[in-house]
């Protein structure tokens, strides 16, 4: 229970990186195909959808309400508003939104930015310096204990919702704004 209402149309939340790993292993056995979390590079490529701007829809964070669910002018179920910097628009949701509520990016992918942050396969590094050049998972490093999640969520400020934004957490931590997206290995 994330502390707010969820339906079958909402993204999964409160799952750890370890939970996501267990799911992709289970799904692979059920489907007879290999599934995994995307690498950071794969995730960012899908999020950018060919753009070079800070967000797939452009550099103006206040255009977010047509494309992403983040902290904005919407009111909470109890009537509160965000006290931190927020998008100067209203997307209609305080917590998670049903999947596909916003415009897809140019690759036809929904909800890469906002709604929930998404675990990726990589271990945490402070930057991409020295990282793989082939979009593969960066599985080794100084900090083997923390994992990466991307995309920002329903409560992220304008400056925190972007294609290049990265965050880290322990692989067993669960957050009410973090889920995952899967990739299939061909």
């Amino acid at each position: 229970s994330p502390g707010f209402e969820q339906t079958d149309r909402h993204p999964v939340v409160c799952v750890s990186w370890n939970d996501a790993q267990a799911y992709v292993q289970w799904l692979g056995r059920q489907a007879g195909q290999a599934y995994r979390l995307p690498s950071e590079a794969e995730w960012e490529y899908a999020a950018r959808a060919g753009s070079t701007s800070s967000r797939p829809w452009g550099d103006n964070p206040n255009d977010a309400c047509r494309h992403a669910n983040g902290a904005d002018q919407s009111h909470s179920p109890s009537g509160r508003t965000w006290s931190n910097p927020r998008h100067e628009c209203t997307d209609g949701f305080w917590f998670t939104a049903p999947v596909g509520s916003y415009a897809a990016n140019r690759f036809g992918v929904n909800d890469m930015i906002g709604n929930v942050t998404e675990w990726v396969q990589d271990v945490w590094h402070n930057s991409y310096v020295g990282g793989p050049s082939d979009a593969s998972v960066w599985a080794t490093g100084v900090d083997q204990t923390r994992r990466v999640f991307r995309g920002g969520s329903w409560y992220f400020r304008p400056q925190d919702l972007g294609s290049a934004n990265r965050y880290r957490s322990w692989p067993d931590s669960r957050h009410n704004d973090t889920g995952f997206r899967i990739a299939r290995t061909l």
Side-chain angles (χ1 to χ4, degrees):
S1 175
F4 49 87
E5 186 177 335
Q6 291 275 96
T7 70
D8 289 344
R9 289 206 52 234
H10 286 81
V12 65
V13 294
C14 299
V15 291
S16 69
W17 183 88
N18 292 336
D19 296 333
Q21 294 300 313
Y23 178 78
V24 296
Q25 294 303 314
W26 172 85
L27 180 61
R29 287 190 305 274
Q30 298 299 309
Q33 296 189 17
Y35 289 91
R36 60 186 170 74
L37 296 180
S39 70
E40 266 202 270
E42 289 171 325
W43 187 96
E44 188 167 328
Y45 178 81
R48 285 189 179 281
S51 71
T52 57
S53 56
S54 57
R55 296 160 190 86
W57 61 84
D59 289 320
N60 185 349
N62 292 319
D63 288 341
C65 291
R66 290 191 315 257
H67 304 276
N69 183 14
D72 61 15
Q73 303 288 325
S74 300
H75 288 79
S76 76
S78 65
R80 293 183 326 193
T81 59
W82 295 106
S83 59
N84 58 350
R86 58 188 177 208
H87 294 88
E88 297 299 324
C89 57
T90 301
D91 66 23
F93 296 95
W94 181 267
F95 297 114
T96 59
V99 172
S101 294
Y102 303 94
N105 68 22
R106 283 183 266 181
F107 287 172
V109 182
N110 291 90
D111 306 324
M112 292 295 294
I113 308 294
N115 218 15
V116 298
T117 57
E118 299 175 1
W119 290 110
V120 295
Q121 190 67 34
D122 302 57
V123 297
W124 175 257
H125 293 84
N126 289 331
S127 74
Y128 289 137
V129 174
S133 60
D134 63 357
S136 63
V137 171
W138 200 355
T140 61
V142 175
D143 189 352
Q144 295 284 319
T145 60
R146 289 193 241 176
R147 295 294 177 161
V148 180
F149 53 97
R150 302 288 300 261
S153 78
W154 52 267
Y155 79 83
F156 276 44
R157 305 170 299 170
Q159 66 267 30
D160 297 328
L161 284 183
S163 301
N165 294 57
R166 321 168 51 239
Y167 308 94
R168 67 179 179 230
S169 194
W170 308 108
D172 61 350
S173 62
R174 293 181 176 101
H175 310 277
N176 70 356
D177 69 328
T178 302
F180 64 96
R181 184 178 300 264
I182 60 173
R184 187 174 61 151
T185 302
L186 300 175

